[in-house]
Amino acid sequence: MDTSDLPANILDPDCPSRVIFQRIGDKWASLVVQVLADGPIRFSELRKMVHVVTPKVLTQTLRTLERDGLITRTVHAQVPPRVDYELTELGASLLEPLTLLRLWAEDHVPSILKARDAYDDAQDEAVIRD
Amino acid sequence: MDTSDLPANILDPDCPSRVIFQRIGDKWASLVVQVLADGPIRFSELRKMVHVVTPKVLTQTLRTLERDGLITRTVHAQVPPRVDYELTELGASLLEPLTLLRLWAEDHVPSILKARDAYDDAQDEAVIRD
DNA sequence: GTCGCTGGTATCCATGAGGTAACTAAGTTC
DNA sequence: GAACTTAGTTACCTCATGGATACCAGCGAC
């Protein structure tokens, strides 16, 4: 088999690109990045934008994004505290492919839901035939 | 706040596009789709391409992809059995945004690893200062 | 008759992701 | 001095994902 044009590194479980690729698919990370596209935002506002996320999980997500250099965290010496999160240049560069993927998902929702219905119907018929 | 240009549906926990968007980030699904880019492939070959995946998990992944209409499953009446998996048109259309994302990940591995090192070093220093 | 091949299934189990709820710091307001 | 604010932290718990292992069908070869 010819594998020369395959993403050999992504298929290699030990390659960092695989880990990074999967981080993008993280439940919250990609959502946060897309919210930050509009500019800096503070913790509590972010929570409101991405519904239902608990502070613990949001903090975890933000820390890994910060660690990976995709966002910056700016603490303002105020009381009550104010912390702003903002995309770095690196984070902003992720926005383009991520947006394409989001558009794909939004565009193909009907096709996928239709495929699911057809599949489930076929399954039901198969059960009846048994 | 102006949310008119935000992906409101993806931020809505109840919108199917959110589920679909996250399915793409699935540990194995996106890998499988990219392997299938080269054309039909059978179960055991797929297992070899995507290292270390157990048959159970691979089957699960393939079933959901099939249910969502991204791949087709063709059983050949042979002994020993032969089953081919192939991208549908819908699945092939996912290839483009997915490839862009993969290229982004591969391109930015060094930047991210560098950011991580810098972050971890800063953490270490902070601990020493305590 | 039993070994091997393919494409799975069945069962059990461990890890970890994520949720809940309570708590904290630290200054401002009442 | 009690209450309110923001941005978390901490301890605890639950449940789903995914991994390990074993097994099966059905036919051909030995």
Side-chain angles (χ1 to χ4, degrees):
Chain A
M1 182 192 300
D2 177 23
T3 61
S4 56
D5 58 337
L6 277 175
N9 37 359
I10 272 208
L11 294 177
D12 177 0
D14 297 327
C15 179
S17 74
R18 178 139 159 185
V19 180
I20 289 163
F21 189 71
Q22 285 169 7
R23 160 107 0 115
I24 297 165
D26 178 83
K27 188 169 180 185
W28 303 110
S30 51
L31 256 44
V32 167
V33 169
Q34 298 199 42
V35 170
L36 290 187
D38 277 2
I41 192 173
R42 53 198 301 195
F43 190 81
S44 51
E45 286 173 350
L46 199 46
R47 266 197 82 184
K48 279 173 222 150
M49 291 301 299
V50 186
H51 306 274
V52 210
V53 64
T54 61
K56 190 190 79 170
V57 174
L58 185 55
T59 301
Q60 280 175 358
T61 305
L62 290 168
R63 286 297 132 83
T64 42
L65 286 174
E66 192 194 354
R67 189 170 105 102
D68 286 350
L70 298 175
I71 63 171
T72 55
R73 178 172 178 269
T74 311
V75 182
H76 302 273
Q78 300 178 358
V79 169
R82 175 195 180 90
V83 179
D84 280 326
Y85 293 94
E86 191 172 7
L87 284 183
T88 61
E89 211 173 311
L90 184 60
S93 74
L94 174 56
L95 225 44
E96 300 158 31
L98 213 52
T99 302
L100 284 173
L101 205 57
R102 174 172 62 77
L103 291 176
W104 184 93
E106 289 174 6
D107 281 353
H108 295 85
V109 164
S111 306
I112 290 177
L113 293 180
K114 203 173 130 198
R116 272 189 203 174
D117 286 345
Y119 184 89
D120 291 346
D121 287 350
Q123 291 300 308
D124 289 346
E125 280 174 30
V127 168
I128 292 166
R129 270 201 305 277
D130 282 350
Chain B
M1 181 191 301
D2 177 23
T3 61
S4 58
D5 59 337
L6 278 175
N9 36 0
I10 272 208
L11 294 177
D12 176 0
D14 297 327
C15 179
S17 73
R18 179 139 159 186
V19 180
I20 288 164
F21 188 71
Q22 285 169 6
R23 158 105 3 114
I24 297 164
D26 179 84
K27 189 169 180 184
W28 302 111
S30 51
L31 256 43
V32 167
V33 169
Q34 298 199 43
V35 170
L36 290 186
D38 276 2
I41 192 173
R42 53 198 301 195
F43 190 82
S44 51
E45 286 173 350
L46 200 45
R47 267 197 82 183
K48 279 174 223 151
M49 292 300 299
V50 186
H51 306 273
V52 210
V53 64
T54 60
K56 190 190 79 169
V57 173
L58 185 56
T59 301
Q60 281 175 357
T61 304
L62 290 168
R63 286 298 133 82
T64 42
L65 286 174
E66 192 194 355
R67 190 170 104 102
D68 286 351
L70 299 175
I71 64 171
T72 55
R73 177 172 180 270
T74 312
V75 182
H76 302 272
Q78 301 178 359
V79 169
R82 176 196 180 89
V83 179
D84 281 324
Y85 292 93
E86 191 173 6
L87 283 183
T88 60
E89 210 174 311
L90 184 59
S93 74
L94 174 56
L95 225 44
E96 301 159 31
L98 212 51
T99 302
L100 285 173
L101 206 56
R102 173 173 62 76
L103 292 176
W104 184 93
E106 289 174 6
D107 283 352
H108 295 85
V109 164
S111 307
I112 290 176
L113 293 180
K114 203 173 130 197
R116 273 189 203 174
D117 286 345
Y119 184 89
D120 291 346
D121 287 349
Q123 291 301 309
D124 288 347
E125 281 173 30
V127 169
I128 291 167
R129 271 201 304 278
D130 283 350

Short mmCIF file of all heavy atoms in Angstrom, two decimals, chain A residues 26-28 54 56-57 60 79, chain C residues 18-21 25-28:
data_model
loop_
_atom_site.label_atom_id
_atom_site.label_comp_id
_atom_site.label_asym_id
_atom_site.label_seq_id
_atom_site.Cartn_x
_atom_site.Cartn_y
_atom_site.Cartn_z
N ASP A 26 -11.54 18.93 21.49
CA ASP A 26 -11.97 18.96 22.88
C ASP A 26 -13.35 19.59 23.01
O ASP A 26 -13.70 20.51 22.28
CB ASP A 26 -10.96 19.76 23.71
CG ASP A 26 -11.36 19.87 25.16
OD1 ASP A 26 -11.08 18.94 25.91
OD2 ASP A 26 -11.97 20.91 25.53
N LYS A 27 -14.12 19.07 23.94
CA LYS A 27 -15.50 19.50 24.10
C LYS A 27 -15.66 21.01 24.18
O LYS A 27 -16.55 21.59 23.59
CB LYS A 27 -16.10 18.85 25.36
CG LYS A 27 -17.58 19.07 25.51
CD LYS A 27 -18.16 18.20 26.61
CE LYS A 27 -19.65 18.43 26.75
NZ LYS A 27 -20.24 17.69 27.87
N TRP A 28 -14.75 21.68 24.92
CA TRP A 28 -14.93 23.12 25.16
C TRP A 28 -13.90 23.97 24.44
O TRP A 28 -14.18 25.12 24.06
CB TRP A 28 -14.88 23.42 26.65
CG TRP A 28 -15.90 22.68 27.44
CD1 TRP A 28 -15.67 21.66 28.31
CD2 TRP A 28 -17.32 22.85 27.41
NE1 TRP A 28 -16.86 21.21 28.85
CE2 TRP A 28 -17.88 21.92 28.31
CE3 TRP A 28 -18.17 23.72 26.71
CZ2 TRP A 28 -19.25 21.82 28.53
CZ3 TRP A 28 -19.53 23.63 26.94
CH2 TRP A 28 -20.07 22.68 27.84
N THR A 54 -19.23 24.47 33.81
CA THR A 54 -18.93 24.77 35.22
C THR A 54 -17.61 25.52 35.30
O THR A 54 -16.74 25.34 34.44
CB THR A 54 -18.84 23.49 36.04
OG1 THR A 54 -17.79 22.68 35.52
CG2 THR A 54 -20.13 22.71 35.98
N LYS A 56 -15.03 25.07 37.08
CA LYS A 56 -13.86 24.19 37.13
C LYS A 56 -13.42 23.79 35.74
O LYS A 56 -12.24 23.91 35.39
CB LYS A 56 -14.17 22.92 37.94
CG LYS A 56 -12.92 22.11 38.23
CD LYS A 56 -13.23 20.74 38.80
CE LYS A 56 -13.66 19.77 37.72
NZ LYS A 56 -13.75 18.38 38.20
N VAL A 57 -14.37 23.33 34.95
CA VAL A 57 -14.05 22.85 33.61
C VAL A 57 -13.59 24.00 32.71
O VAL A 57 -12.65 23.85 31.92
CB VAL A 57 -15.26 22.13 33.01
CG1 VAL A 57 -15.02 21.75 31.56
CG2 VAL A 57 -15.57 20.88 33.82
N GLN A 60 -10.03 24.75 33.62
CA GLN A 60 -9.17 23.70 33.04
C GLN A 60 -8.92 23.97 31.56
O GLN A 60 -7.78 23.95 31.09
CB GLN A 60 -9.83 22.33 33.18
CG GLN A 60 -9.69 21.70 34.55
CD GLN A 60 -10.48 20.39 34.65
OE1 GLN A 60 -11.16 19.97 33.72
NE2 GLN A 60 -10.39 19.73 35.79
N VAL A 79 -10.30 45.09 42.61
CA VAL A 79 -11.21 44.33 43.44
C VAL A 79 -12.61 44.85 43.18
O VAL A 79 -12.85 46.05 43.27
CB VAL A 79 -10.89 44.50 44.93
CG1 VAL A 79 -12.02 43.92 45.77
CG2 VAL A 79 -9.60 43.80 45.28
P DG C 18 -14.03 16.93 29.27
OP1 DG C 18 -14.55 17.14 27.91
OP2 DG C 18 -12.88 17.71 29.75
"O5'" DG C 18 -15.24 17.10 30.30
"C5'" DG C 18 -16.33 16.20 30.23
"C4'" DG C 18 -17.11 16.24 31.51
"O4'" DG C 18 -16.37 15.63 32.58
"C3'" DG C 18 -17.45 17.66 32.00
"O3'" DG C 18 -18.85 17.75 32.14
"C2'" DG C 18 -16.75 17.76 33.35
"C1'" DG C 18 -16.70 16.30 33.77
N9 DG C 18 -15.71 16.00 34.80
C8 DG C 18 -14.37 16.31 34.80
N7 DG C 18 -13.75 15.92 35.88
C5 DG C 18 -14.74 15.31 36.63
C6 DG C 18 -14.67 14.69 37.90
O6 DG C 18 -13.69 14.55 38.63
N1 DG C 18 -15.91 14.19 38.30
C2 DG C 18 -17.07 14.29 37.56
N2 DG C 18 -18.16 13.76 38.10
N3 DG C 18 -17.14 14.86 36.38
C4 DG C 18 -15.95 15.35 35.97
P DG C 19 -19.56 19.16 32.29
OP1 DG C 19 -20.55 19.29 31.19
OP2 DG C 19 -18.54 20.20 32.49
"O5'" DG C 19 -20.37 18.95 33.66
"C5'" DG C 19 -21.29 17.88 33.73
"C4'" DG C 19 -21.65 17.62 35.18
"O4'" DG C 19 -20.50 17.10 35.87
"C3'" DG C 19 -22.09 18.88 35.94
"O3'" DG C 19 -23.36 18.67 36.53
"C2'" DG C 19 -21.00 19.08 36.99
"C1'" DG C 19 -20.41 17.69 37.15
N9 DG C 19 -19.01 17.74 37.54
C8 DG C 19 -17.95 18.19 36.79
N7 DG C 19 -16.80 18.11 37.40
C5 DG C 19 -17.12 17.56 38.63
C6 DG C 19 -16.28 17.24 39.73
O6 DG C 19 -15.05 17.38 39.82
N1 DG C 19 -17.01 16.71 40.80
C2 DG C 19 -18.37 16.52 40.80
N2 DG C 19 -18.91 16.00 41.90
N3 DG C 19 -19.17 16.81 39.78
C4 DG C 19 -18.47 17.33 38.73
P DT C 20 -24.02 19.89 37.37
OP1 DT C 20 -25.48 19.70 37.31
OP2 DT C 20 -23.40 21.14 36.92
"O5'" DT C 20 -23.52 19.62 38.86
"C5'" DT C 20 -23.72 18.33 39.46
"C4'" DT C 20 -23.70 18.46 40.98
"O4'" DT C 20 -22.34 18.33 41.44
"C3'" DT C 20 -24.20 19.80 41.51
"O3'" DT C 20 -25.00 19.57 42.66
"C2'" DT C 20 -22.92 20.57 41.82
"C1'" DT C 20 -21.95 19.46 42.18
N1 DT C 20 -20.52 19.75 41.82
C2 DT C 20 -19.53 19.46 42.73
O2 DT C 20 -19.75 19.00 43.84
N3 DT C 20 -18.26 19.74 42.28
C4 DT C 20 -17.89 20.26 41.06
O4 DT C 20 -16.72 20.46 40.78
C5 DT C 20 -18.99 20.54 40.16
C7 DT C 20 -18.71 21.10 38.81
C6 DT C 20 -20.24 20.27 40.58
P DA C 21 -25.80 20.79 43.35
OP1 DA C 21 -27.06 20.24 43.87
OP2 DA C 21 -25.82 21.95 42.43
"O5'" DA C 21 -24.85 21.14 44.58
"C5'" DA C 21 -24.24 20.09 45.31
"C4'" DA C 21 -23.22 20.66 46.26
"O4'" DA C 21 -21.94 20.81 45.59
"C3'" DA C 21 -23.57 22.05 46.80
"O3'" DA C 21 -23.39 22.04 48.21
"C2'" DA C 21 -22.58 22.98 46.11
"C1'" DA C 21 -21.39 22.06 45.92
N9 DA C 21 -20.52 22.47 44.83
C8 DA C 21 -20.87 22.98 43.61
N7 DA C 21 -19.85 23.25 42.82
C5 DA C 21 -18.74 22.89 43.58
C6 DA C 21 -17.37 22.92 43.32
N6 DA C 21 -16.85 23.37 42.18
N1 DA C 21 -16.54 22.49 44.30
C2 DA C 21 -17.06 22.05 45.45
N3 DA C 21 -18.35 21.97 45.81
C4 DA C 21 -19.14 22.40 44.83
P DA C 25 -8.71 32.92 52.61
OP1 DA C 25 -7.52 32.33 53.27
OP2 DA C 25 -9.80 33.50 53.41
"O5'" DA C 25 -8.20 34.03 51.60
"C5'" DA C 25 -7.52 33.69 50.40
"C4'" DA C 25 -7.52 34.89 49.47
"O4'" DA C 25 -8.78 34.93 48.75
"C3'" DA C 25 -7.38 36.22 50.19
"O3'" DA C 25 -6.49 37.05 49.45
"C2'" DA C 25 -8.80 36.78 50.20
"C1'" DA C 25 -9.39 36.19 48.92
N9 DA C 25 -10.83 35.96 48.95
C8 DA C 25 -11.60 35.54 50.00
N7 DA C 25 -12.87 35.40 49.71
C5 DA C 25 -12.95 35.75 48.37
C6 DA C 25 -14.03 35.80 47.46
N6 DA C 25 -15.27 35.50 47.78
N1 DA C 25 -13.76 36.19 46.19
C2 DA C 25 -12.50 36.49 45.87
N3 DA C 25 -11.41 36.47 46.63
C4 DA C 25 -11.70 36.09 47.88
P DA C 26 -5.64 38.20 50.24
OP1 DA C 26 -4.22 37.85 50.11
OP2 DA C 26 -6.22 38.35 51.60
"O5'" DA C 26 -5.92 39.53 49.45
"C5'" DA C 26 -6.81 39.57 48.32
"C4'" DA C 26 -7.72 40.77 48.40
"O4'" DA C 26 -9.10 40.34 48.39
"C3'" DA C 26 -7.58 41.62 49.68
"O3'" DA C 26 -7.82 42.96 49.31
"C2'" DA C 26 -8.71 41.10 50.55
"C1'" DA C 26 -9.78 40.94 49.47
N9 DA C 26 -10.93 40.10 49.81
C8 DA C 26 -11.11 39.30 50.90
N7 DA C 26 -12.27 38.68 50.94
C5 DA C 26 -12.89 39.10 49.78
C6 DA C 26 -14.14 38.81 49.22
N6 DA C 26 -15.02 37.98 49.78
N1 DA C 26 -14.45 39.40 48.04
C2 DA C 26 -13.57 40.24 47.48
N3 DA C 26 -12.36 40.59 47.91
C4 DA C 26 -12.08 39.97 49.07
P DG C 27 -6.86 44.15 49.96
OP1 DG C 27 -5.60 44.24 49.19
OP2 DG C 27 -6.83 44.01 51.43
"O5'" DG C 27 -7.73 45.46 49.62
"C5'" DG C 27 -8.07 45.73 48.27
"C4'" DG C 27 -9.56 45.94 48.13
"O4'" DG C 27 -10.28 44.77 48.58
"C3'" DG C 27 -10.15 47.11 48.93
"O3'" DG C 27 -10.79 47.98 48.05
"C2'" DG C 27 -11.14 46.46 49.88
"C1'" DG C 27 -11.51 45.21 49.10
N9 DG C 27 -12.13 44.15 49.90
C8 DG C 27 -11.59 43.50 50.98
N7 DG C 27 -12.40 42.60 51.48
C5 DG C 27 -13.53 42.67 50.69
C6 DG C 27 -14.75 41.93 50.76
O6 DG C 27 -15.07 41.05 51.55
N1 DG C 27 -15.63 42.31 49.75
C2 DG C 27 -15.37 43.28 48.81
N2 DG C 27 -16.34 43.51 47.92
N3 DG C 27 -14.25 43.97 48.73
C4 DG C 27 -13.38 43.61 49.70
P DT C 28 -11.12 49.54 48.47
OP1 DT C 28 -10.12 50.46 47.94
OP2 DT C 28 -11.41 49.56 49.93
"O5'" DT C 28 -12.50 49.75 47.70
"C5'" DT C 28 -13.10 48.65 47.01
"C4'" DT C 28 -14.61 48.79 47.01
"O4'" DT C 28 -15.21 47.67 47.73
"C3'" DT C 28 -15.19 50.04 47.66
"O3'" DT C 28 -16.30 50.49 46.90
"C2'" DT C 28 -15.59 49.57 49.05
"C1'" DT C 28 -16.04 48.13 48.76
N1 DT C 28 -15.90 47.18 49.89
C2 DT C 28 -16.93 46.30 50.15
O2 DT C 28 -17.95 46.27 49.50
N3 DT C 28 -16.70 45.45 51.20
C4 DT C 28 -15.58 45.39 52.00
O4 DT C 28 -15.50 44.58 52.91
C5 DT C 28 -14.55 46.33 51.69
C7 DT C 28 -13.29 46.37 52.50
C6 DT C 28 -14.75 47.18 50.66
#
